[in-house]
Amino acid sequence: MSLAQFPLDTRNEFVPRHIGPRDADANAMLELLGFDSLDAMIASVVPDSIKGTSVLNLPAGQGEAEALAAI
């Protein structure tokens, strides 16, 4: 991985380091569990009583550098 791949903007420093599931891994998990999508899996495990429908009025997100500076 070269530094040229990443812009000098530090607002998204976390993104290159995040190790999330690859699409193939997520699809294999869903197939094993018997779901067609992540939305279908979530709908089956999150009780209706705690599902929210309102939109939160949150401030704009911060990049990692800004969040670290704030704390």
Short mmCIF file of all heavy atoms in Angstrom, two decimals:
data_model
loop_
_atom_site.label_atom_id
_atom_site.label_comp_id
_atom_site.label_asym_id
_atom_site.label_seq_id
_atom_site.Cartn_x
_atom_site.Cartn_y
_atom_site.Cartn_z
N MET A 1 0.86 -1.16 0.00
CA MET A 1 0.00 0.00 0.00
C MET A 1 0.91 1.23 0.00
O MET A 1 1.72 1.41 0.88
CB MET A 1 -0.88 -0.04 1.25
CG MET A 1 -1.92 0.99 1.28
SD MET A 1 -3.09 0.93 2.69
CE MET A 1 -2.93 -0.66 3.42
N SER A 2 0.73 2.08 -0.99
CA SER A 2 1.56 3.28 -1.04
C SER A 2 0.79 4.49 -0.54
O SER A 2 -0.44 4.51 -0.56
CB SER A 2 2.03 3.52 -2.48
OG SER A 2 0.98 4.05 -3.24
N LEU A 3 1.53 5.48 -0.09
CA LEU A 3 0.89 6.71 0.39
C LEU A 3 0.16 7.43 -0.73
O LEU A 3 -0.77 8.18 -0.48
CB LEU A 3 1.93 7.63 1.02
CG LEU A 3 2.52 7.15 2.33
CD1 LEU A 3 3.58 8.11 2.82
CD2 LEU A 3 1.44 7.00 3.38
N ALA A 4 0.55 7.19 -1.99
CA ALA A 4 -0.10 7.85 -3.12
C ALA A 4 -1.56 7.44 -3.24
O ALA A 4 -2.35 8.15 -3.84
CB ALA A 4 0.66 7.53 -4.41
N GLN A 5 -1.94 6.33 -2.66
CA GLN A 5 -3.33 5.87 -2.74
C GLN A 5 -4.26 6.73 -1.90
O GLN A 5 -5.45 6.75 -2.14
CB GLN A 5 -3.44 4.43 -2.23
CG GLN A 5 -2.79 3.42 -3.12
CD GLN A 5 -2.89 2.06 -2.48
OE1 GLN A 5 -2.25 1.80 -1.47
NE2 GLN A 5 -3.68 1.19 -3.07
N PHE A 6 -3.73 7.42 -0.91
CA PHE A 6 -4.55 8.16 0.03
C PHE A 6 -4.31 9.65 -0.10
O PHE A 6 -3.16 10.10 -0.13
CB PHE A 6 -4.26 7.72 1.47
CG PHE A 6 -4.44 6.25 1.67
CD1 PHE A 6 -3.34 5.42 1.81
CD2 PHE A 6 -5.70 5.69 1.68
CE1 PHE A 6 -3.51 4.05 1.96
CE2 PHE A 6 -5.88 4.33 1.85
CZ PHE A 6 -4.78 3.51 1.99
N PRO A 7 -5.38 10.44 -0.15
CA PRO A 7 -5.19 11.89 -0.23
C PRO A 7 -4.61 12.42 1.09
O PRO A 7 -4.65 11.74 2.11
CB PRO A 7 -6.60 12.41 -0.46
CG PRO A 7 -7.50 11.36 0.09
CD PRO A 7 -6.77 10.06 -0.11
N LEU A 8 -4.09 13.62 1.05
CA LEU A 8 -3.51 14.21 2.25
C LEU A 8 -4.58 14.67 3.23
O LEU A 8 -4.29 14.95 4.38
CB LEU A 8 -2.61 15.39 1.88
CG LEU A 8 -1.37 15.00 1.07
CD1 LEU A 8 -0.58 16.25 0.67
CD2 LEU A 8 -0.49 14.04 1.84
N ASP A 9 -5.81 14.75 2.79
CA ASP A 9 -6.93 15.11 3.65
C ASP A 9 -7.07 14.04 4.73
O ASP A 9 -7.14 12.86 4.43
CB ASP A 9 -8.18 15.18 2.80
CG ASP A 9 -9.40 15.63 3.58
OD1 ASP A 9 -9.42 15.54 4.81
OD2 ASP A 9 -10.35 16.07 2.93
N THR A 10 -7.11 14.43 6.01
CA THR A 10 -7.14 13.46 7.10
C THR A 10 -8.53 13.21 7.65
O THR A 10 -8.67 12.55 8.67
CB THR A 10 -6.22 13.91 8.25
OG1 THR A 10 -6.68 15.18 8.72
CG2 THR A 10 -4.77 13.99 7.80
N ARG A 11 -9.58 13.72 7.01
CA ARG A 11 -10.92 13.54 7.56
C ARG A 11 -11.36 12.09 7.60
O ARG A 11 -12.23 11.72 8.35
CB ARG A 11 -11.94 14.36 6.76
CG ARG A 11 -11.84 15.85 7.03
CD ARG A 11 -12.83 16.59 6.23
NE ARG A 11 -12.38 16.56 4.84
CZ ARG A 11 -13.08 16.98 3.83
NH1 ARG A 11 -14.29 17.44 4.00
NH2 ARG A 11 -12.61 16.93 2.61
N ASN A 12 -10.77 11.25 6.78
CA ASN A 12 -11.19 9.85 6.73
C ASN A 12 -10.03 8.90 7.03
O ASN A 12 -9.90 7.85 6.43
CB ASN A 12 -11.79 9.52 5.37
CG ASN A 12 -13.10 10.21 5.16
OD1 ASN A 12 -13.97 10.17 6.02
ND2 ASN A 12 -13.24 10.88 4.04
N GLU A 13 -9.20 9.24 8.00
CA GLU A 13 -8.06 8.40 8.33
C GLU A 13 -8.46 6.99 8.75
O GLU A 13 -7.73 6.04 8.52
CB GLU A 13 -7.25 9.03 9.46
CG GLU A 13 -6.48 10.26 9.03
CD GLU A 13 -5.72 10.88 10.19
OE1 GLU A 13 -5.89 10.43 11.33
OE2 GLU A 13 -4.97 11.81 9.93
N PHE A 14 -9.61 6.84 9.37
CA PHE A 14 -10.04 5.53 9.84
C PHE A 14 -10.32 4.57 8.69
O PHE A 14 -10.07 3.37 8.79
CB PHE A 14 -11.29 5.69 10.70
CG PHE A 14 -11.91 4.39 11.13
CD1 PHE A 14 -11.37 3.67 12.17
CD2 PHE A 14 -13.03 3.89 10.49
CE1 PHE A 14 -11.94 2.47 12.56
CE2 PHE A 14 -13.60 2.70 10.87
CZ PHE A 14 -13.05 1.98 11.92
N VAL A 15 -10.83 5.09 7.59
CA VAL A 15 -11.30 4.24 6.50
C VAL A 15 -10.24 3.27 5.98
O VAL A 15 -10.51 2.07 5.88
CB VAL A 15 -11.89 5.10 5.35
CG1 VAL A 15 -12.26 4.25 4.15
CG2 VAL A 15 -13.11 5.87 5.85
N PRO A 16 -9.02 3.71 5.68
CA PRO A 16 -8.04 2.74 5.16
C PRO A 16 -7.64 1.66 6.17
O PRO A 16 -7.17 0.61 5.80
CB PRO A 16 -6.83 3.60 4.81
CG PRO A 16 -7.34 4.99 4.69
CD PRO A 16 -8.51 5.07 5.63
N ARG A 17 -7.83 1.93 7.46
CA ARG A 17 -7.43 0.95 8.47
C ARG A 17 -8.56 0.01 8.87
O ARG A 17 -8.33 -0.98 9.54
CB ARG A 17 -6.94 1.69 9.73
CG ARG A 17 -5.70 2.48 9.52
CD ARG A 17 -5.10 2.92 10.84
NE ARG A 17 -6.06 3.29 11.82
CZ ARG A 17 -6.39 4.54 12.15
NH1 ARG A 17 -5.81 5.54 11.55
NH2 ARG A 17 -7.28 4.79 13.08
N HIS A 18 -9.78 0.34 8.51
CA HIS A 18 -10.92 -0.48 8.92
C HIS A 18 -10.88 -1.81 8.18
O HIS A 18 -10.76 -1.86 6.97
CB HIS A 18 -12.24 0.24 8.62
CG HIS A 18 -13.43 -0.60 8.93
ND1 HIS A 18 -13.78 -0.92 10.22
CD2 HIS A 18 -14.32 -1.20 8.13
CE1 HIS A 18 -14.86 -1.68 10.20
NE2 HIS A 18 -15.21 -1.87 8.94
N ILE A 19 -11.00 -2.87 8.93
CA ILE A 19 -11.01 -4.20 8.31
C ILE A 19 -12.42 -4.76 8.48
O ILE A 19 -12.74 -5.38 9.49
CB ILE A 19 -9.96 -5.12 8.96
CG1 ILE A 19 -8.58 -4.49 8.86
CG2 ILE A 19 -9.99 -6.51 8.31
CD1 ILE A 19 -7.51 -5.22 9.63
N GLY A 20 -13.25 -4.51 7.53
CA GLY A 20 -14.62 -5.01 7.57
C GLY A 20 -14.73 -6.28 6.76
O GLY A 20 -13.78 -6.71 6.11
N PRO A 21 -15.89 -6.91 6.79
CA PRO A 21 -16.05 -8.13 6.02
C PRO A 21 -16.04 -7.85 4.52
O PRO A 21 -16.58 -6.85 4.07
CB PRO A 21 -17.42 -8.66 6.46
CG PRO A 21 -18.15 -7.44 6.93
CD PRO A 21 -17.11 -6.53 7.50
N ARG A 22 -15.40 -8.73 3.78
CA ARG A 22 -15.43 -8.62 2.32
C ARG A 22 -16.82 -9.05 1.86
O ARG A 22 -17.52 -9.80 2.56
CB ARG A 22 -14.36 -9.51 1.72
CG ARG A 22 -12.94 -9.04 2.07
CD ARG A 22 -11.93 -10.00 1.50
NE ARG A 22 -12.11 -11.28 2.18
CZ ARG A 22 -11.15 -11.99 2.72
NH1 ARG A 22 -9.92 -11.58 2.64
NH2 ARG A 22 -11.39 -13.13 3.31
N ASP A 23 -17.21 -8.59 0.69
CA ASP A 23 -18.53 -8.94 0.15
C ASP A 23 -18.73 -10.44 0.10
O ASP A 23 -19.80 -10.94 0.44
CB ASP A 23 -18.72 -8.34 -1.24
CG ASP A 23 -18.93 -6.83 -1.21
OD1 ASP A 23 -19.27 -6.29 -0.14
OD2 ASP A 23 -18.74 -6.20 -2.27
N ALA A 24 -17.70 -11.17 -0.31
CA ALA A 24 -17.82 -12.63 -0.40
C ALA A 24 -18.07 -13.24 0.98
O ALA A 24 -18.85 -14.19 1.12
CB ALA A 24 -16.56 -13.23 -1.04
N ASP A 25 -17.41 -12.69 2.01
CA ASP A 25 -17.60 -13.20 3.37
C ASP A 25 -19.02 -12.91 3.87
O ASP A 25 -19.66 -13.76 4.48
CB ASP A 25 -16.58 -12.59 4.33
CG ASP A 25 -15.15 -13.00 3.99
OD1 ASP A 25 -14.96 -14.08 3.41
OD2 ASP A 25 -14.24 -12.22 4.31
N ALA A 26 -19.49 -11.69 3.63
CA ALA A 26 -20.84 -11.33 4.05
C ALA A 26 -21.87 -12.19 3.33
O ALA A 26 -22.84 -12.67 3.94
CB ALA A 26 -21.10 -9.85 3.79
N ASN A 27 -21.67 -12.41 2.03
CA ASN A 27 -22.61 -13.25 1.27
C ASN A 27 -22.60 -14.69 1.77
O ASN A 27 -23.65 -15.33 1.85
CB ASN A 27 -22.29 -13.18 -0.22
CG ASN A 27 -22.62 -11.84 -0.81
OD1 ASN A 27 -23.48 -11.11 -0.32
ND2 ASN A 27 -21.93 -11.48 -1.88
N ALA A 28 -21.43 -15.21 2.10
CA ALA A 28 -21.35 -16.58 2.64
C ALA A 28 -22.08 -16.68 3.97
O ALA A 28 -22.79 -17.66 4.23
CB ALA A 28 -19.89 -16.99 2.78
N MET A 29 -21.91 -15.66 4.83
CA MET A 29 -22.60 -15.65 6.12
C MET A 29 -24.11 -15.62 5.92
O MET A 29 -24.84 -16.39 6.54
CB MET A 29 -22.18 -14.42 6.93
CG MET A 29 -22.96 -14.23 8.22
SD MET A 29 -22.73 -12.60 8.98
CE MET A 29 -23.54 -11.54 7.80
N LEU A 30 -24.57 -14.74 5.02
CA LEU A 30 -26.00 -14.63 4.77
C LEU A 30 -26.57 -15.94 4.22
O LEU A 30 -27.64 -16.38 4.62
CB LEU A 30 -26.28 -13.48 3.80
CG LEU A 30 -26.03 -12.09 4.37
CD1 LEU A 30 -26.09 -11.04 3.25
CD2 LEU A 30 -27.01 -11.76 5.47
N GLU A 31 -25.84 -16.57 3.31
CA GLU A 31 -26.30 -17.85 2.75
C GLU A 31 -26.39 -18.92 3.84
O GLU A 31 -27.38 -19.65 3.93
CB GLU A 31 -25.35 -18.30 1.64
CG GLU A 31 -25.81 -19.57 0.96
CD GLU A 31 -24.90 -19.98 -0.18
OE1 GLU A 31 -24.11 -19.16 -0.66
OE2 GLU A 31 -24.99 -21.16 -0.58
N LEU A 32 -25.37 -18.99 4.69
CA LEU A 32 -25.37 -19.96 5.78
C LEU A 32 -26.55 -19.74 6.72
O LEU A 32 -27.18 -20.70 7.18
CB LEU A 32 -24.06 -19.86 6.56
CG LEU A 32 -23.92 -20.80 7.75
CD1 LEU A 32 -23.74 -22.23 7.26
CD2 LEU A 32 -22.75 -20.39 8.63
N LEU A 33 -26.89 -18.48 6.98
CA LEU A 33 -27.98 -18.15 7.89
C LEU A 33 -29.35 -18.16 7.21
O LEU A 33 -30.37 -18.08 7.88
CB LEU A 33 -27.73 -16.78 8.53
CG LEU A 33 -26.48 -16.71 9.41
CD1 LEU A 33 -26.25 -15.28 9.87
CD2 LEU A 33 -26.60 -17.65 10.59
N GLY A 34 -29.36 -18.24 5.88
CA GLY A 34 -30.62 -18.31 5.15
C GLY A 34 -31.26 -16.98 4.84
O GLY A 34 -32.49 -16.89 4.74
N PHE A 35 -30.46 -15.93 4.67
CA PHE A 35 -30.99 -14.61 4.35
C PHE A 35 -30.50 -14.16 2.99
O PHE A 35 -29.40 -14.50 2.56
CB PHE A 35 -30.57 -13.58 5.40
CG PHE A 35 -31.17 -13.85 6.75
CD1 PHE A 35 -30.42 -14.42 7.76
CD2 PHE A 35 -32.50 -13.54 7.01
CE1 PHE A 35 -30.96 -14.67 9.00
CE2 PHE A 35 -33.06 -13.79 8.25
CZ PHE A 35 -32.29 -14.35 9.25
N ASP A 36 -31.32 -13.34 2.32
CA ASP A 36 -30.96 -12.82 1.00
C ASP A 36 -30.16 -11.52 1.09
O ASP A 36 -29.50 -11.14 0.14
CB ASP A 36 -32.21 -12.54 0.16
CG ASP A 36 -32.96 -13.82 -0.19
OD1 ASP A 36 -32.32 -14.87 -0.30
OD2 ASP A 36 -34.19 -13.76 -0.34
N SER A 37 -30.26 -10.83 2.22
CA SER A 37 -29.57 -9.54 2.37
C SER A 37 -29.34 -9.23 3.84
O SER A 37 -29.95 -9.84 4.72
CB SER A 37 -30.42 -8.42 1.76
OG SER A 37 -31.59 -8.23 2.53
N LEU A 38 -28.45 -8.27 4.09
CA LEU A 38 -28.22 -7.82 5.46
C LEU A 38 -29.48 -7.18 6.04
O LEU A 38 -29.79 -7.36 7.22
CB LEU A 38 -27.06 -6.82 5.52
CG LEU A 38 -25.66 -7.42 5.36
CD1 LEU A 38 -24.62 -6.32 5.25
CD2 LEU A 38 -25.33 -8.36 6.49
N ASP A 39 -30.22 -6.45 5.20
CA ASP A 39 -31.47 -5.84 5.66
C ASP A 39 -32.46 -6.90 6.14
O ASP A 39 -33.12 -6.74 7.17
CB ASP A 39 -32.11 -5.00 4.56
CG ASP A 39 -31.35 -3.70 4.31
OD1 ASP A 39 -30.63 -3.24 5.22
OD2 ASP A 39 -31.48 -3.16 3.20
N ALA A 40 -32.55 -8.01 5.41
CA ALA A 40 -33.46 -9.09 5.80
C ALA A 40 -33.01 -9.73 7.12
O ALA A 40 -33.84 -10.03 7.98
CB ALA A 40 -33.53 -10.15 4.70
N MET A 41 -31.70 -9.90 7.28
CA MET A 41 -31.19 -10.48 8.52
C MET A 41 -31.48 -9.55 9.70
O MET A 41 -31.95 -9.99 10.75
CB MET A 41 -29.69 -10.75 8.43
CG MET A 41 -29.12 -11.42 9.66
SD MET A 41 -27.32 -11.56 9.65
CE MET A 41 -26.85 -9.89 10.07
N ILE A 42 -31.19 -8.26 9.53
CA ILE A 42 -31.43 -7.29 10.59
C ILE A 42 -32.91 -7.23 10.95
O ILE A 42 -33.27 -7.20 12.13
CB ILE A 42 -30.88 -5.91 10.18
CG1 ILE A 42 -29.35 -5.96 10.13
CG2 ILE A 42 -31.35 -4.81 11.14
CD1 ILE A 42 -28.71 -4.77 9.43
N ALA A 43 -33.77 -7.23 9.94
CA ALA A 43 -35.21 -7.18 10.19
C ALA A 43 -35.68 -8.38 11.01
O ALA A 43 -36.62 -8.27 11.79
CB ALA A 43 -35.97 -7.13 8.86
N SER A 44 -35.00 -9.51 10.86
CA SER A 44 -35.42 -10.71 11.59
C SER A 44 -34.91 -10.76 13.02
O SER A 44 -35.46 -11.49 13.84
CB SER A 44 -34.98 -11.97 10.85
OG SER A 44 -33.60 -12.19 11.03
N VAL A 45 -33.87 -9.99 13.34
CA VAL A 45 -33.29 -10.08 14.67
C VAL A 45 -33.53 -8.86 15.56
O VAL A 45 -33.38 -8.94 16.77
CB VAL A 45 -31.77 -10.39 14.63
CG1 VAL A 45 -31.52 -11.73 13.98
CG2 VAL A 45 -31.00 -9.29 13.94
N VAL A 46 -33.91 -7.73 14.95
CA VAL A 46 -34.17 -6.52 15.74
C VAL A 46 -35.67 -6.44 16.01
O VAL A 46 -36.46 -6.34 15.08
CB VAL A 46 -33.69 -5.25 15.01
CG1 VAL A 46 -34.03 -4.00 15.81
CG2 VAL A 46 -32.19 -5.32 14.75
N PRO A 47 -36.08 -6.50 17.26
CA PRO A 47 -37.51 -6.46 17.58
C PRO A 47 -38.17 -5.16 17.13
O PRO A 47 -37.55 -4.09 17.21
CB PRO A 47 -37.54 -6.56 19.11
CG PRO A 47 -36.20 -7.07 19.51
CD PRO A 47 -35.24 -6.63 18.46
N ASP A 48 -39.40 -5.25 16.66
CA ASP A 48 -40.14 -4.06 16.23
C ASP A 48 -40.24 -3.03 17.34
O ASP A 48 -40.26 -1.82 17.07
CB ASP A 48 -41.55 -4.44 15.76
CG ASP A 48 -41.53 -5.18 14.44
OD1 ASP A 48 -40.55 -5.03 13.68
OD2 ASP A 48 -42.52 -5.90 14.16
N SER A 49 -40.27 -3.48 18.59
CA SER A 49 -40.44 -2.56 19.71
C SER A 49 -39.26 -1.60 19.89
O SER A 49 -39.40 -0.58 20.56
CB SER A 49 -40.66 -3.34 21.00
OG SER A 49 -39.52 -4.15 21.30
N ILE A 50 -38.10 -1.92 19.32
CA ILE A 50 -36.97 -1.02 19.47
C ILE A 50 -36.54 -0.38 18.17
O ILE A 50 -35.60 0.40 18.14
CB ILE A 50 -35.76 -1.71 20.15
CG1 ILE A 50 -35.19 -2.82 19.27
CG2 ILE A 50 -36.12 -2.21 21.52
CD1 ILE A 50 -33.85 -3.33 19.76
N LYS A 51 -37.23 -0.71 17.08
CA LYS A 51 -36.89 -0.08 15.81
C LYS A 51 -37.38 1.36 15.83
O LYS A 51 -38.48 1.65 16.24
CB LYS A 51 -37.56 -0.82 14.65
CG LYS A 51 -36.94 -2.16 14.36
CD LYS A 51 -37.64 -2.83 13.22
CE LYS A 51 -37.08 -4.23 12.99
NZ LYS A 51 -37.81 -4.95 11.97
N GLY A 52 -36.53 2.25 15.40
CA GLY A 52 -36.90 3.66 15.35
C GLY A 52 -37.21 4.09 13.93
O GLY A 52 -36.69 3.53 12.97
N THR A 53 -38.07 5.07 13.81
CA THR A 53 -38.41 5.58 12.49
C THR A 53 -38.06 7.06 12.36
O THR A 53 -38.13 7.62 11.28
CB THR A 53 -39.91 5.41 12.20
OG1 THR A 53 -40.65 6.08 13.22
CG2 THR A 53 -40.29 3.94 12.15
N SER A 54 -37.67 7.68 13.47
CA SER A 54 -37.34 9.10 13.41
C SER A 54 -35.90 9.29 12.93
O SER A 54 -35.07 8.40 13.04
CB SER A 54 -37.53 9.76 14.77
OG SER A 54 -36.64 9.18 15.70
N VAL A 55 -35.65 10.46 12.41
CA VAL A 55 -34.31 10.80 11.95
C VAL A 55 -33.68 11.69 13.02
O VAL A 55 -34.28 12.67 13.46
CB VAL A 55 -34.36 11.55 10.60
CG1 VAL A 55 -32.97 11.98 10.18
CG2 VAL A 55 -34.99 10.66 9.55
N LEU A 56 -32.50 11.33 13.45
CA LEU A 56 -31.83 12.10 14.49
C LEU A 56 -31.24 13.38 13.90
O LEU A 56 -30.69 13.38 12.80
CB LEU A 56 -30.71 11.27 15.13
CG LEU A 56 -31.14 9.99 15.82
CD1 LEU A 56 -29.91 9.23 16.31
CD2 LEU A 56 -32.07 10.29 16.97
N ASN A 57 -31.34 14.46 14.63
CA ASN A 57 -30.78 15.74 14.21
C ASN A 57 -29.38 15.85 14.79
O ASN A 57 -29.16 16.47 15.83
CB ASN A 57 -31.68 16.89 14.68
CG ASN A 57 -31.19 18.22 14.18
OD1 ASN A 57 -30.41 18.29 13.24
ND2 ASN A 57 -31.63 19.28 14.81
N LEU A 58 -28.43 15.23 14.12
CA LEU A 58 -27.05 15.18 14.62
C LEU A 58 -26.17 16.16 13.87
O LEU A 58 -26.41 16.46 12.70
CB LEU A 58 -26.49 13.77 14.45
CG LEU A 58 -27.23 12.65 15.19
CD1 LEU A 58 -26.64 11.29 14.82
CD2 LEU A 58 -27.16 12.87 16.68
N PRO A 59 -25.12 16.66 14.52
CA PRO A 59 -24.18 17.53 13.82
C PRO A 59 -23.40 16.72 12.79
O PRO A 59 -23.39 15.49 12.82
CB PRO A 59 -23.26 18.04 14.93
CG PRO A 59 -23.33 16.99 16.00
CD PRO A 59 -24.73 16.43 15.92
N ALA A 60 -22.72 17.43 11.91
CA ALA A 60 -21.89 16.77 10.90
C ALA A 60 -20.82 15.94 11.59
O ALA A 60 -20.35 16.29 12.69
CB ALA A 60 -21.24 17.80 10.00
N GLY A 61 -20.45 14.85 10.98
CA GLY A 61 -19.43 13.98 11.55
C GLY A 61 -18.05 14.63 11.53
O GLY A 61 -17.82 15.61 10.83
N GLN A 62 -17.15 14.07 12.30
CA GLN A 62 -15.78 14.54 12.35
C GLN A 62 -14.85 13.45 11.85
O GLN A 62 -15.15 12.27 11.99
CB GLN A 62 -15.37 14.86 13.79
CG GLN A 62 -16.07 16.03 14.40
CD GLN A 62 -15.54 16.28 15.81
OE1 GLN A 62 -15.30 15.35 16.56
NE2 GLN A 62 -15.39 17.54 16.18
N GLY A 63 -13.74 13.85 11.32
CA GLY A 63 -12.70 12.91 10.97
C GLY A 63 -11.97 12.49 12.24
O GLY A 63 -12.16 13.06 13.32
N GLU A 64 -11.11 11.50 12.11
CA GLU A 64 -10.39 11.00 13.27
C GLU A 64 -9.53 12.08 13.90
O GLU A 64 -9.48 12.22 15.12
CB GLU A 64 -9.53 9.80 12.86
CG GLU A 64 -8.76 9.21 14.02
CD GLU A 64 -7.93 8.01 13.62
OE1 GLU A 64 -7.90 7.65 12.43
OE2 GLU A 64 -7.31 7.41 14.51
N ALA A 65 -8.83 12.87 13.08
CA ALA A 65 -7.94 13.90 13.62
C ALA A 65 -8.73 14.92 14.42
O ALA A 65 -8.30 15.33 15.52
CB ALA A 65 -7.18 14.58 12.48
N GLU A 66 -9.90 15.35 13.92
CA GLU A 66 -10.72 16.32 14.63
C GLU A 66 -11.25 15.73 15.94
O GLU A 66 -11.28 16.41 16.97
CB GLU A 66 -11.89 16.80 13.78
CG GLU A 66 -11.48 17.64 12.58
CD GLU A 66 -11.12 16.81 11.35
OE1 GLU A 66 -11.30 15.58 11.37
OE2 GLU A 66 -10.67 17.40 10.38
N ALA A 67 -11.69 14.49 15.91
CA ALA A 67 -12.22 13.85 17.11
C ALA A 67 -11.13 13.70 18.18
O ALA A 67 -11.37 13.97 19.35
CB ALA A 67 -12.82 12.49 16.78
N LEU A 68 -9.94 13.31 17.76
CA LEU A 68 -8.84 13.19 18.72
C LEU A 68 -8.47 14.53 19.30
O LEU A 68 -8.17 14.65 20.48
CB LEU A 68 -7.63 12.53 18.04
CG LEU A 68 -7.77 11.04 17.74
CD1 LEU A 68 -6.59 10.55 16.90
CD2 LEU A 68 -7.91 10.23 19.00
N ALA A 69 -8.49 15.57 18.46
CA ALA A 69 -8.17 16.92 18.95
C ALA A 69 -9.22 17.38 19.96
O ALA A 69 -8.90 18.05 20.94
CB ALA A 69 -8.09 17.90 17.79
N ALA A 70 -10.48 16.99 19.74
CA ALA A 70 -11.56 17.40 20.64
C ALA A 70 -11.46 16.72 22.01
O ALA A 70 -11.84 17.30 23.00
CB ALA A 70 -12.91 17.09 20.00
N ILE A 71 -10.93 15.49 22.03
CA ILE A 71 -10.85 14.81 23.32
C ILE A 71 -9.50 15.02 23.95
O ILE A 71 -9.26 14.78 25.06
CB ILE A 71 -11.17 13.31 23.22
CG1 ILE A 71 -10.21 12.58 22.28
CG2 ILE A 71 -12.59 13.10 22.77
CD1 ILE A 71 -10.35 11.08 22.29
#
